[in-house]
Amino acid sequence: MQIRTVATTPFTDQKPGTSGLRKRVPVFQQQHYLENFVQSIFDTIGTPPGSTLVLGGDGRYYNREAIQVILKMAAANGYARVLVGRGGILSTPAASCLIREYRTHGGIILSASHNPGGPEGDFGIKYNGGNGGPATETVTEAIFAASRKIAEFHIADTADIVLDRDGDHEIGDMTVSVIDPVAAYAGLMESLFDFAAIRSLLKGGFRIRFDAMHAVTGPYAQEILVNRLGALPDSVMNAVPLPDFGKGHPDPNLTYAHELVEIMYRADAPDFGAASDGDGDRNMILGKRFFVTPSDSLALLAANAYLVPGYRRGLAGIARSMPTSAAADRVARELGIPCFETPTGWKFFGNLMDAGKVTLCGEESFGTGSDHIREKDGLWAVLFWLNILAARRQPVETILMEHWAHYGRNVYSRHDYEDIPADAANSVMKLLHDRFAELQGAQFGNLQVKRCDDFSYTDPVDGSVSTGQGVRIMFTDGSRIVFRLSGTGTGGATLRIYLESFEPDVSRHHLDAQLLLAELIGIASQISELRERTGREQPTVIT
Ligand code: VG1
Ligand code: CO
């Protein structure tokens, strides 16, 4: 085998966003585009002798091609071993699990998560460190800096590796181990949850439906829910990962997971429904004709963690991203544990978990997880819910209503305006900044503005500071509106508006969130001049 050093010139746009570098497939297909970024990762993290790397992706278009390139580059950059999921498949949580189990020098995950796939769709790549979590901002900034001055990359000249059979192959001095993508992860799940109780729940006629959305979780759900827990075979739908996700949008929300939502709102709906996203790190939870917001789900898992074997010993703390509702804060207060508020993106939870400060973490964007790994974890959340349901034997809706009756309800909604011109989106954000002084103390109907700011965060573990993480308009009664631009899109801009108020009155808990938030929704539109500046009358997605 020959190692080649190839001269290259930098691309200027290889700056990772909320979760890795995401671009359209044709951008990644440009000559040296992928190689430059991968070499920038290797140059940043170094390769101590004997290093192992975990490698896999969500199965989207270009996954296999990218894996072959990365294997050859890993060999040329001095890796001793690469663990790659069979078929090039690894969900994000499974990759995190393997990094930790084999104590590797991190891993490379190929995914653009919920973004659509296919030849004209999106592709993505992210590096996770030795703790199994997304690279911190310090590391992603260093990778970006390396990509701006790259002059060459190293690659082995060798034939492609067969990815569809387990086994070892050699590229020069490096071993490529093709492994079962599911086994280690499924074993970890079995160690955390009461599988016997869930099995007996399912045996007793409790019906579930899990939508893998033609993305990576299909094989995981099949093995865990059907093979190990005995769910009926039709419990898992869209179970085969497809390169274009069946032309769908693997984003588990009420809009894009409509096939599941329709099933769950039928008269003969199953008792429990769930969906996951492209790379398997998100979850949407539904009861019979009932939707659980991710913010409530985090709070509810925390409050019921004592029912789950892996968490019975208690929680060290909870962390939630800033736009996530404060429902979890109420549970933390009652448990007497700390609750941390971080910027959007899982990379901010890693330090807190490594330092033993938190056990559970969550984001309003359908992401929930714990310190069992260092990523959010879709199927883990589903199993956590099933464990609670097996212990409590009540419908999902009843469990939520009882939770609200006890803690009060943090009424919550997120409105996404997708694919608006970047100029319009930036002008909305600028306008809001310009209005901070004028908004201070302003009265809108019954609501008065207490304070506004652009959220910034100082990591309590390493002291690093992240600024510009979202505009917050906070009202005296505890309600708030948050405006943020997405950092995961690849075309135009996506403006997210997060709305939250608190409803202590039990007689109003069953009411629709949009109705309860109507006043805040009106204020958000008024102060941002949204219609005037974007021409949009309605959000693309309401959660
Ligand atoms: C979105 C979500 C964020 C999540 C991120 C990655 O980011 O809002 O909470 O961590 O996606 O999730 P943004 O910048 O578009 O709002 V995933 O499942 O794409 O890895
Ligand atoms: Co994801």
Side-chain angles (χ1 to χ4, degrees):
M1 180 207 65
Q2 200 196 334
I3 289 173
R4 274 191 302 135
T5 294
V6 182
T8 185
T9 49
F11 292 89
T12 54
D13 65 345
Q14 298 196 319
K15 185 175 169 61
T18 312
S19 179
L21 180 70
R22 294 186 191 177
K23 300 283 174 195
R24 295 252 188 264
V25 167
V27 173
F28 268 103
Q29 286 169 327
Q30 294 174 86
Q31 196 188 26
H32 298 173
Y33 193 88
L34 174 68
E35 289 86 344
N36 274 18
F37 191 70
V38 172
Q39 189 64 51
S40 302
I41 294 175
F42 291 154
D43 289 346
T44 302
I45 62 171
T47 320
S51 295
T52 298
L53 185 74
V54 167
L55 178 63
D58 62 15
R60 68 177 59 227
Y61 188 87
Y62 205 54
N63 192 45
R64 284 171 177 266
E65 291 85 341
I67 284 181
Q68 298 294 349
V69 169
I70 297 168
L71 286 174
K72 291 168 195 173
M73 289 186 66
N77 278 276
Y79 274 92
R81 189 179 181 202
V82 177
L83 301 168
V84 50
R86 189 192 320 120
I89 290 288
L90 280 180
S91 74
T92 287
S96 184
C97 164
L98 287 170
I99 293 170
R100 295 171 69 78
E101 187 150 321
Y102 287 86
R103 298 174 188 280
T104 73
H105 190 51
I108 291 180
I109 303 170
L110 304 170
S111 170
S113 190
H114 57 286
N115 301 19
E120 300 302 323
D122 287 347
F123 189 73
I125 172 167
K126 58 180 174 174
Y127 172 72
N128 279 32
N131 70 347
T136 59
E137 266 199 337
T138 317
V139 174
T140 56
E141 285 300 324
I143 294 171
F144 179 49
S147 79
R148 298 293 299 268
K149 54 175 210 271
I150 190 166
E152 58 185 37
F153 64 85
H154 313 290
I155 189 160
D157 262 334
T158 179
D160 283 358
I161 297 288
V162 177
L163 294 175
D164 294 301
R165 266 194 319 274
D166 294 4
D168 284 359
H169 308 264
E170 307 300 325
I171 303 181
D173 296 334
M174 186 182 89
T175 305
V176 178
S177 300
V178 178
I179 60 170
D180 181 338
V182 178
Y185 176 81
L188 178 59
M189 293 302 112
E190 208 153 353
S191 76
L192 294 172
F193 300 108
D194 188 344
F195 270 37
I198 301 174
R199 220 174 280 128
S200 110
L201 175 78
L202 296 173
K203 216 170 177 185
F206 186 91
R207 290 186 305 135
I208 64 171
R209 185 64 65 94
F210 178 84
D211 188 353
M213 302 190 83
H214 288 303
V216 80
T217 30
Y220 296 86
Q222 188 69 33
E223 171 61 20
I224 295 171
L225 300 177
V226 179
N227 300 355
R228 297 196 187 197
L229 289 169
L232 298 171
D234 73 354
S235 302
V236 183
M237 59 195 265
N238 299 323
V240 179
L242 300 175
D244 65 352
F245 306 122
K247 303 219 175 338
H249 196 140
D251 203 348
N253 58 40
L254 295 170
T255 303
Y256 294 121
H258 57 89
E259 203 183 336
L260 174 72
V261 172
E262 275 152 34
I263 292 170
M264 293 308 298
Y265 279 78
R266 285 201 310 236
D268 63 341
D271 303 288
F272 177 78
S276 196
D277 69 333
D279 60 335
D281 57 1
R282 298 192 188 195
N283 69 93
M284 176 169 72
I285 302 294
L286 298 162
K288 230 187 240 278
R289 293 182 289 285
F290 190 80
F291 166 66
V292 183
T293 68
S295 294
D296 282 333
S297 181
L298 172 65
L300 196 129
L301 298 191
N304 290 275
Y306 69 94
L307 297 170
V308 178
Y311 302 90
R312 211 160 265 160
R313 66 187 185 279
L315 308 175
I318 307 173
R320 62 165 174 86
S321 66
M322 179 274 285
T324 304
S325 94
D329 304 39
R330 294 175 194 282
V331 177
R333 212 171 299 137
E334 188 163 307
L335 293 174
I337 56 174
C339 188
F340 296 85
E341 187 177 32
T342 61
T344 293
W346 212 259
K347 60 185 168 217
F348 295 101
F349 294 135
N351 279 347
L352 296 171
M353 287 192 270
D354 286 351
K357 289 180 181 297
V358 302
T359 308
L360 294 189
C361 303
E363 295 191 280
E364 46 61 42
S365 55
F366 300 92
T368 334
S370 86
D371 61 357
H372 67 293
I373 53 170
R374 291 294 181 274
E375 283 280 6
K376 51 189 185 281
D377 190 343
L379 266 173
W380 168 91
V382 171
L383 292 167
F384 207 126
W385 263 96
L386 287 174
N387 196 144
I388 293 170
L389 290 161
R392 292 186 53 166
R393 304 274 169 161
Q394 292 167 298
V396 171
E397 181 170 354
T398 309
I399 291 179
L400 236 292
M401 289 297 171
E402 287 187 4
H403 183 90
W404 288 338
H406 183 85
Y407 293 95
R409 177 179 174 194
N410 284 74
V411 184
Y412 190 82
S413 183
R414 184 176 104 181
H415 290 194
D416 293 330
Y417 291 82
E418 295 181 345
D419 213 6
I420 53 182
D423 289 352
N426 290 330
S427 90
V428 167
M429 295 306 283
K430 175 161 188 314
L431 174 72
L432 291 166
H433 277 108
D434 292 347
R435 285 196 163 164
F436 277 177
E438 154 203 343
L439 283 173
Q440 188 78 35
Q443 191 78 35
F444 295 91
N446 298 321
L447 294 169
Q448 189 187 15
V449 177
K450 184 178 171 197
R451 203 159 71 78
C452 18
D453 69 2
D454 197 338
F455 181 64
S456 72
Y457 176 69
T458 304
D459 186 303
V461 180
D462 66 15
S464 59
V465 178
S466 305
T467 57
Q469 298 294 327
V471 164
R472 303 190 289 182
I473 318 284
M474 292 168 275
F475 298 86
T476 49
D477 71 344
S479 308
R480 62 174 190 160
I481 307 171
V482 175
F483 295 85
R484 224 190 116 252
L485 294 182
S486 158
T488 55
T490 57
T494 292
L495 176 68
R496 306 200 194 283
I497 304 180
Y498 311 79
L499 307 135
E500 176 178 2
S501 68
F502 183 64
E503 180 55 77
D505 181 356
V506 178
S507 72
R508 291 167 60 83
H509 282 172
H510 64 285
L511 296 174
D512 180 52
Q514 304 309 312
L515 192 84
L516 293 168
L517 294 167
E519 197 175 1
L520 275 184
I521 294 169
I523 298 171
S525 148
Q526 185 189 335
I527 62 181
S528 62
E529 297 181 5
L530 197 72
R531 281 192 194 139
E532 297 82 336
R533 285 168 191 256
T534 67
R536 294 285 178 88
E537 295 290 331
Q538 288 298 328
T540 325
V541 177
I542 294 180
T543 296

